[in-house]
Amino acid sequence: MTVRLIATDLDGTLLDSSSAVTPRTRVALDAARERGIHVVPVTARQPIGLRAIAADAGFDGWALCSNGAYAVRLDDGRMLFAEELPADTIRTLVQALRASIPGLLFASVREGGETFVAQEGYAEIAQLSDHKRDPRTMGGVPLEQVLAAPSLKLVIRHPELAPAALFDTLRNLGLTLFEATLSGAPFVEVMAEGVTKATGLARLCEHLGIDRADVVAFGDALNDVEMLRWAGRGVAMAHAEPVVQDAADETTASNDDDGVAQVIERLLG
């Protein structure tokens, strides 16, 4: 196939288990860029989390953050688009979910991913790896302030319940007007209605004049499924759940075995 753009998830996909870019993966990414191929991180992370690994991966162009909710240039901060979850939808969702599950905690990602508004008590159960933010910098506000403004991504977590249980409860509420997913992080992620990594990637490709048939996408988690189906060639990681592998055209080695690099090397011949 002709490859004009490589779209890759980060955690569990491009990055190894220590959240690093291996030398082999960096060489493969550089080889793709030397051929004029766009290499785009498509991630649940915010820019703060991308900046932590951008130099190692050579990322300095477009990135898709918050599971496709917005596209940002990493070199100058320019935004191509941003799809926000309306405050009214957030309040309706939170009210219904809290009635089913006591003890939930919420956080809201705003302002191009640079602002993180966390409910009181959220920082106490968070770790640096969760959001690539030091929990000591998160502060804490009353829930009303978390729900008071539109959000690029609403984060839902519980001190004890697994994200899968929260996700199932949320889906069984029968509510609409939002998109929810799991990324492998210890929380549920909620975006605006219809927003997925696939929709964000489609908008970016339209901007760049690239056909979906010329896109190779890599992923390992539930939030990658739509992107793997949309791309001309979807590649799942060896450790991905069956639903992710079923959405892909092929399965590569794990992130610790440079699975992404192996496919890029093959495609570049």
PDB file of all heavy atoms in Angstrom, residues 5-34:
ATOM      1  N   LEU A   5       0.449   8.620   5.802  1.00  0.00           N
ATOM      2  CA  LEU A   5       0.336   9.036   7.195  1.00  0.00           C
ATOM      3  C   LEU A   5       0.328   7.818   8.104  1.00  0.00           C
ATOM      4  O   LEU A   5      -0.368   6.839   7.838  1.00  0.00           O
ATOM      5  CB  LEU A   5      -0.927   9.877   7.407  1.00  0.00           C
ATOM      6  CG  LEU A   5      -1.104  10.541   8.777  1.00  0.00           C
ATOM      7  CD1 LEU A   5      -1.799  11.896   8.646  1.00  0.00           C
ATOM      8  CD2 LEU A   5      -1.911   9.636   9.729  1.00  0.00           C
ATOM      9  N   ILE A   6       1.103   7.891   9.160  1.00  0.00           N
ATOM     10  CA  ILE A   6       1.112   6.869  10.213  1.00  0.00           C
ATOM     11  C   ILE A   6       0.478   7.491  11.444  1.00  0.00           C
ATOM     12  O   ILE A   6       0.944   8.520  11.953  1.00  0.00           O
ATOM     13  CB  ILE A   6       2.549   6.413  10.531  1.00  0.00           C
ATOM     14  CG1 ILE A   6       3.139   5.662   9.338  1.00  0.00           C
ATOM     15  CG2 ILE A   6       2.570   5.538  11.784  1.00  0.00           C
ATOM     16  CD1 ILE A   6       4.629   5.379   9.461  1.00  0.00           C
ATOM     17  N   ALA A   7      -0.609   6.883  11.904  1.00  0.00           N
ATOM     18  CA  ALA A   7      -1.308   7.340  13.104  1.00  0.00           C
ATOM     19  C   ALA A   7      -1.061   6.319  14.198  1.00  0.00           C
ATOM     20  O   ALA A   7      -1.392   5.144  14.030  1.00  0.00           O
ATOM     21  CB  ALA A   7      -2.804   7.476  12.832  1.00  0.00           C
ATOM     22  N   THR A   8      -0.507   6.752  15.308  1.00  0.00           N
ATOM     23  CA  THR A   8      -0.180   5.779  16.336  1.00  0.00           C
ATOM     24  C   THR A   8      -0.606   6.211  17.729  1.00  0.00           C
ATOM     25  O   THR A   8      -0.370   7.343  18.154  1.00  0.00           O
ATOM     26  CB  THR A   8       1.332   5.456  16.347  1.00  0.00           C
ATOM     27  OG1 THR A   8       1.617   4.493  17.367  1.00  0.00           O
ATOM     28  CG2 THR A   8       2.175   6.709  16.572  1.00  0.00           C
ATOM     29  N   ASP A   9      -1.266   5.282  18.401  1.00  0.00           N
ATOM     30  CA  ASP A   9      -1.493   5.419  19.834  1.00  0.00           C
ATOM     31  C   ASP A   9      -0.127   5.395  20.518  1.00  0.00           C
ATOM     32  O   ASP A   9       0.866   4.940  19.936  1.00  0.00           O
ATOM     33  CB  ASP A   9      -2.371   4.251  20.301  1.00  0.00           C
ATOM     34  CG  ASP A   9      -2.512   4.187  21.802  1.00  0.00           C
ATOM     35  OD1 ASP A   9      -2.935   5.197  22.398  1.00  0.00           O
ATOM     36  OD2 ASP A   9      -2.175   3.136  22.390  1.00  0.00           O
ATOM     37  N   LEU A  10      -0.076   5.855  21.766  1.00  0.00           N
ATOM     38  CA  LEU A  10       1.204   5.911  22.475  1.00  0.00           C
ATOM     39  C   LEU A  10       1.315   4.814  23.528  1.00  0.00           C
ATOM     40  O   LEU A  10       2.035   3.842  23.355  1.00  0.00           O
ATOM     41  CB  LEU A  10       1.394   7.286  23.112  1.00  0.00           C
ATOM     42  CG  LEU A  10       1.455   8.471  22.132  1.00  0.00           C
ATOM     43  CD1 LEU A  10       1.636   9.776  22.880  1.00  0.00           C
ATOM     44  CD2 LEU A  10       2.563   8.263  21.119  1.00  0.00           C
ATOM     45  N   ASP A  11       0.600   4.969  24.633  1.00  0.00           N
ATOM     46  CA  ASP A  11       0.731   4.052  25.764  1.00  0.00           C
ATOM     47  C   ASP A  11       0.232   2.658  25.403  1.00  0.00           C
ATOM     48  O   ASP A  11      -0.899   2.482  24.956  1.00  0.00           O
ATOM     49  CB  ASP A  11      -0.023   4.600  26.973  1.00  0.00           C
ATOM     50  CG  ASP A  11       0.511   5.958  27.396  1.00  0.00           C
ATOM     51  OD1 ASP A  11       1.587   6.002  28.006  1.00  0.00           O
ATOM     52  OD2 ASP A  11      -0.149   6.976  27.076  1.00  0.00           O
ATOM     53  N   GLY A  12       1.098   1.672  25.563  1.00  0.00           N
ATOM     54  CA  GLY A  12       0.752   0.310  25.218  1.00  0.00           C
ATOM     55  C   GLY A  12       0.930  -0.012  23.752  1.00  0.00           C
ATOM     56  O   GLY A  12       0.723  -1.155  23.335  1.00  0.00           O
ATOM     57  N   THR A  13       1.328   0.986  22.960  1.00  0.00           N
ATOM     58  CA  THR A  13       1.469   0.788  21.516  1.00  0.00           C
ATOM     59  C   THR A  13       2.851   1.215  21.036  1.00  0.00           C
ATOM     60  O   THR A  13       3.717   0.388  20.790  1.00  0.00           O
ATOM     61  CB  THR A  13       0.371   1.557  20.749  1.00  0.00           C
ATOM     62  OG1 THR A  13      -0.916   1.081  21.161  1.00  0.00           O
ATOM     63  CG2 THR A  13       0.503   1.367  19.243  1.00  0.00           C
ATOM     64  N   LEU A  14       3.055   2.508  20.892  1.00  0.00           N
ATOM     65  CA  LEU A  14       4.368   3.008  20.445  1.00  0.00           C
ATOM     66  C   LEU A  14       5.397   2.946  21.566  1.00  0.00           C
ATOM     67  O   LEU A  14       6.568   2.627  21.329  1.00  0.00           O
ATOM     68  CB  LEU A  14       4.228   4.446  19.945  1.00  0.00           C
ATOM     69  CG  LEU A  14       5.492   5.027  19.317  1.00  0.00           C
ATOM     70  CD1 LEU A  14       5.689   4.462  17.915  1.00  0.00           C
ATOM     71  CD2 LEU A  14       5.450   6.546  19.276  1.00  0.00           C
ATOM     72  N   LEU A  15       4.962   3.269  22.791  1.00  0.00           N
ATOM     73  CA  LEU A  15       5.874   3.305  23.931  1.00  0.00           C
ATOM     74  C   LEU A  15       5.992   1.924  24.560  1.00  0.00           C
ATOM     75  O   LEU A  15       5.016   1.179  24.613  1.00  0.00           O
ATOM     76  CB  LEU A  15       5.360   4.300  24.978  1.00  0.00           C
ATOM     77  CG  LEU A  15       5.057   5.718  24.472  1.00  0.00           C
ATOM     78  CD1 LEU A  15       4.573   6.586  25.618  1.00  0.00           C
ATOM     79  CD2 LEU A  15       6.271   6.328  23.794  1.00  0.00           C
ATOM     80  N   ASP A  16       7.164   1.620  25.083  1.00  0.00           N
ATOM     81  CA  ASP A  16       7.322   0.330  25.757  1.00  0.00           C
ATOM     82  C   ASP A  16       6.743   0.404  27.169  1.00  0.00           C
ATOM     83  O   ASP A  16       6.146   1.417  27.559  1.00  0.00           O
ATOM     84  CB  ASP A  16       8.785  -0.116  25.760  1.00  0.00           C
ATOM     85  CG  ASP A  16       9.696   0.780  26.593  1.00  0.00           C
ATOM     86  OD1 ASP A  16       9.203   1.592  27.411  1.00  0.00           O
ATOM     87  OD2 ASP A  16      10.934   0.659  26.435  1.00  0.00           O
ATOM     88  N   SER A  17       6.907  -0.645  27.943  1.00  0.00           N
ATOM     89  CA  SER A  17       6.277  -0.706  29.264  1.00  0.00           C
ATOM     90  C   SER A  17       6.812   0.330  30.244  1.00  0.00           C
ATOM     91  O   SER A  17       6.170   0.621  31.256  1.00  0.00           O
ATOM     92  CB  SER A  17       6.448  -2.109  29.860  1.00  0.00           C
ATOM     93  OG  SER A  17       5.724  -3.045  29.094  1.00  0.00           O
ATOM     94  N   SER A  18       7.966   0.896  29.947  1.00  0.00           N
ATOM     95  CA  SER A  18       8.520   1.959  30.791  1.00  0.00           C
ATOM     96  C   SER A  18       8.155   3.341  30.257  1.00  0.00           C
ATOM     97  O   SER A  18       8.697   4.346  30.703  1.00  0.00           O
ATOM     98  CB  SER A  18      10.044   1.820  30.888  1.00  0.00           C
ATOM     99  OG  SER A  18      10.656   2.063  29.624  1.00  0.00           O
ATOM    100  N   SER A  19       7.230   3.386  29.288  1.00  0.00           N
ATOM    101  CA  SER A  19       6.770   4.634  28.648  1.00  0.00           C
ATOM    102  C   SER A  19       7.883   5.338  27.884  1.00  0.00           C
ATOM    103  O   SER A  19       7.905   6.561  27.769  1.00  0.00           O
ATOM    104  CB  SER A  19       6.159   5.594  29.685  1.00  0.00           C
ATOM    105  OG  SER A  19       4.989   5.039  30.244  1.00  0.00           O
ATOM    106  N   ALA A  20       8.801   4.542  27.329  1.00  0.00           N
ATOM    107  CA  ALA A  20       9.913   5.084  26.569  1.00  0.00           C
ATOM    108  C   ALA A  20       9.788   4.736  25.093  1.00  0.00           C
ATOM    109  O   ALA A  20       9.116   3.776  24.713  1.00  0.00           O
ATOM    110  CB  ALA A  20      11.235   4.548  27.115  1.00  0.00           C
ATOM    111  N   VAL A  21      10.462   5.543  24.252  1.00  0.00           N
ATOM    112  CA  VAL A  21      10.584   5.260  22.830  1.00  0.00           C
ATOM    113  C   VAL A  21      11.905   4.517  22.632  1.00  0.00           C
ATOM    114  O   VAL A  21      12.968   5.064  22.910  1.00  0.00           O
ATOM    115  CB  VAL A  21      10.585   6.560  21.999  1.00  0.00           C
ATOM    116  CG1 VAL A  21      10.730   6.250  20.508  1.00  0.00           C
ATOM    117  CG2 VAL A  21       9.317   7.363  22.250  1.00  0.00           C
ATOM    118  N   THR A  22      11.848   3.289  22.179  1.00  0.00           N
ATOM    119  CA  THR A  22      13.079   2.511  22.024  1.00  0.00           C
ATOM    120  C   THR A  22      13.887   3.031  20.832  1.00  0.00           C
ATOM    121  O   THR A  22      13.342   3.669  19.923  1.00  0.00           O
ATOM    122  CB  THR A  22      12.785   1.024  21.795  1.00  0.00           C
ATOM    123  OG1 THR A  22      12.177   0.858  20.503  1.00  0.00           O
ATOM    124  CG2 THR A  22      11.861   0.471  22.878  1.00  0.00           C
ATOM    125  N   PRO A  23      15.200   2.782  20.822  1.00  0.00           N
ATOM    126  CA  PRO A  23      16.019   3.218  19.681  1.00  0.00           C
ATOM    127  C   PRO A  23      15.513   2.680  18.350  1.00  0.00           C
ATOM    128  O   PRO A  23      15.504   3.406  17.346  1.00  0.00           O
ATOM    129  CB  PRO A  23      17.405   2.657  20.026  1.00  0.00           C
ATOM    130  CG  PRO A  23      17.426   2.606  21.527  1.00  0.00           C
ATOM    131  CD  PRO A  23      16.032   2.225  21.913  1.00  0.00           C
ATOM    132  N   ARG A  24      15.069   1.427  18.307  1.00  0.00           N
ATOM    133  CA  ARG A  24      14.581   0.858  17.053  1.00  0.00           C
ATOM    134  C   ARG A  24      13.331   1.581  16.570  1.00  0.00           C
ATOM    135  O   ARG A  24      13.182   1.870  15.367  1.00  0.00           O
ATOM    136  CB  ARG A  24      14.296  -0.633  17.221  1.00  0.00           C
ATOM    137  CG  ARG A  24      13.800  -1.305  15.945  1.00  0.00           C
ATOM    138  CD  ARG A  24      13.575  -2.799  16.140  1.00  0.00           C
ATOM    139  NE  ARG A  24      13.086  -3.438  14.922  1.00  0.00           N
ATOM    140  CZ  ARG A  24      12.815  -4.732  14.818  1.00  0.00           C
ATOM    141  NH1 ARG A  24      12.982  -5.540  15.865  1.00  0.00           N
ATOM    142  NH2 ARG A  24      12.359  -5.240  13.678  1.00  0.00           N
ATOM    143  N   THR A  25      12.436   1.893  17.505  1.00  0.00           N
ATOM    144  CA  THR A  25      11.213   2.611  17.129  1.00  0.00           C
ATOM    145  C   THR A  25      11.542   4.002  16.623  1.00  0.00           C
ATOM    146  O   THR A  25      10.965   4.466  15.626  1.00  0.00           O
ATOM    147  CB  THR A  25      10.257   2.680  18.330  1.00  0.00           C
ATOM    148  OG1 THR A  25       9.780   1.362  18.628  1.00  0.00           O
ATOM    149  CG2 THR A  25       9.066   3.570  18.045  1.00  0.00           C
ATOM    150  N   ARG A  26      12.465   4.707  17.258  1.00  0.00           N
ATOM    151  CA  ARG A  26      12.839   6.052  16.807  1.00  0.00           C
ATOM    152  C   ARG A  26      13.431   6.007  15.405  1.00  0.00           C
ATOM    153  O   ARG A  26      13.125   6.855  14.557  1.00  0.00           O
ATOM    154  CB  ARG A  26      13.831   6.682  17.785  1.00  0.00           C
ATOM    155  CG  ARG A  26      14.354   8.057  17.336  1.00  0.00           C
ATOM    156  CD  ARG A  26      13.202   9.057  17.128  1.00  0.00           C
ATOM    157  NE  ARG A  26      13.642  10.258  16.447  1.00  0.00           N
ATOM    158  CZ  ARG A  26      14.001  11.388  17.070  1.00  0.00           C
ATOM    159  NH1 ARG A  26      13.967  11.451  18.405  1.00  0.00           N
ATOM    160  NH2 ARG A  26      14.380  12.433  16.388  1.00  0.00           N
ATOM    161  N   VAL A  27      14.271   5.018  15.126  1.00  0.00           N
ATOM    162  CA  VAL A  27      14.853   4.895  13.786  1.00  0.00           C
ATOM    163  C   VAL A  27      13.754   4.675  12.743  1.00  0.00           C
ATOM    164  O   VAL A  27      13.779   5.263  11.655  1.00  0.00           O
ATOM    165  CB  VAL A  27      15.879   3.743  13.750  1.00  0.00           C
ATOM    166  CG1 VAL A  27      16.278   3.429  12.310  1.00  0.00           C
ATOM    167  CG2 VAL A  27      17.120   4.112  14.558  1.00  0.00           C
ATOM    168  N   ALA A  28      12.775   3.845  13.071  1.00  0.00           N
ATOM    169  CA  ALA A  28      11.677   3.572  12.136  1.00  0.00           C
ATOM    170  C   ALA A  28      10.846   4.827  11.885  1.00  0.00           C
ATOM    171  O   ALA A  28      10.469   5.116  10.739  1.00  0.00           O
ATOM    172  CB  ALA A  28      10.798   2.449  12.675  1.00  0.00           C
ATOM    173  N   LEU A  29      10.546   5.576  12.927  1.00  0.00           N
ATOM    174  CA  LEU A  29       9.774   6.808  12.762  1.00  0.00           C
ATOM    175  C   LEU A  29      10.532   7.823  11.918  1.00  0.00           C
ATOM    176  O   LEU A  29       9.958   8.485  11.046  1.00  0.00           O
ATOM    177  CB  LEU A  29       9.449   7.410  14.138  1.00  0.00           C
ATOM    178  CG  LEU A  29       8.551   6.595  15.067  1.00  0.00           C
ATOM    179  CD1 LEU A  29       8.349   7.330  16.389  1.00  0.00           C
ATOM    180  CD2 LEU A  29       7.202   6.293  14.417  1.00  0.00           C
ATOM    181  N   ASP A  30      11.830   7.951  12.171  1.00  0.00           N
ATOM    182  CA  ASP A  30      12.643   8.888  11.385  1.00  0.00           C
ATOM    183  C   ASP A  30      12.697   8.471   9.922  1.00  0.00           C
ATOM    184  O   ASP A  30      12.642   9.312   9.011  1.00  0.00           O
ATOM    185  CB  ASP A  30      14.061   8.967  11.955  1.00  0.00           C
ATOM    186  CG  ASP A  30      14.128   9.754  13.254  1.00  0.00           C
ATOM    187  OD1 ASP A  30      13.169  10.502  13.536  1.00  0.00           O
ATOM    188  OD2 ASP A  30      15.137   9.627  13.971  1.00  0.00           O
ATOM    189  N   ALA A  31      12.794   7.164   9.671  1.00  0.00           N
ATOM    190  CA  ALA A  31      12.833   6.676   8.290  1.00  0.00           C
ATOM    191  C   ALA A  31      11.538   7.011   7.558  1.00  0.00           C
ATOM    192  O   ALA A  31      11.559   7.386   6.379  1.00  0.00           O
ATOM    193  CB  ALA A  31      13.073   5.169   8.287  1.00  0.00           C
ATOM    194  N   ALA A  32      10.401   6.895   8.270  1.00  0.00           N
ATOM    195  CA  ALA A  32       9.112   7.249   7.666  1.00  0.00           C
ATOM    196  C   ALA A  32       9.064   8.736   7.351  1.00  0.00           C
ATOM    197  O   ALA A  32       8.644   9.143   6.255  1.00  0.00           O
ATOM    198  CB  ALA A  32       7.976   6.855   8.604  1.00  0.00           C
ATOM    199  N   ARG A  33       9.499   9.559   8.289  1.00  0.00           N
ATOM    200  CA  ARG A  33       9.469  11.006   8.062  1.00  0.00           C
ATOM    201  C   ARG A  33      10.390  11.408   6.910  1.00  0.00           C
ATOM    202  O   ARG A  33      10.074  12.330   6.144  1.00  0.00           O
ATOM    203  CB  ARG A  33       9.836  11.733   9.354  1.00  0.00           C
ATOM    204  CG  ARG A  33       8.699  11.750  10.381  1.00  0.00           C
ATOM    205  CD  ARG A  33       9.048  12.579  11.603  1.00  0.00           C
ATOM    206  NE  ARG A  33       9.948  11.871  12.491  1.00  0.00           N
ATOM    207  CZ  ARG A  33       9.608  11.368  13.693  1.00  0.00           C
ATOM    208  NH1 ARG A  33       8.367  11.502  14.120  1.00  0.00           N
ATOM    209  NH2 ARG A  33      10.485  10.749  14.432  1.00  0.00           N
ATOM    210  N   GLU A  34      11.514  10.719   6.769  1.00  0.00           N
ATOM    211  CA  GLU A  34      12.436  11.014   5.669  1.00  0.00           C
ATOM    212  C   GLU A  34      11.805  10.712   4.319  1.00  0.00           C
ATOM    213  O   GLU A  34      12.181  11.304   3.300  1.00  0.00           O
ATOM    214  CB  GLU A  34      13.724  10.210   5.844  1.00  0.00           C
ATOM    215  CG  GLU A  34      14.596  10.724   6.985  1.00  0.00           C
ATOM    216  CD  GLU A  34      15.754   9.784   7.297  1.00  0.00           C
ATOM    217  OE1 GLU A  34      15.914   8.773   6.556  1.00  0.00           O
ATOM    218  OE2 GLU A  34      16.483  10.046   8.273  1.00  0.00           O
TER     219      GLU A  34
END
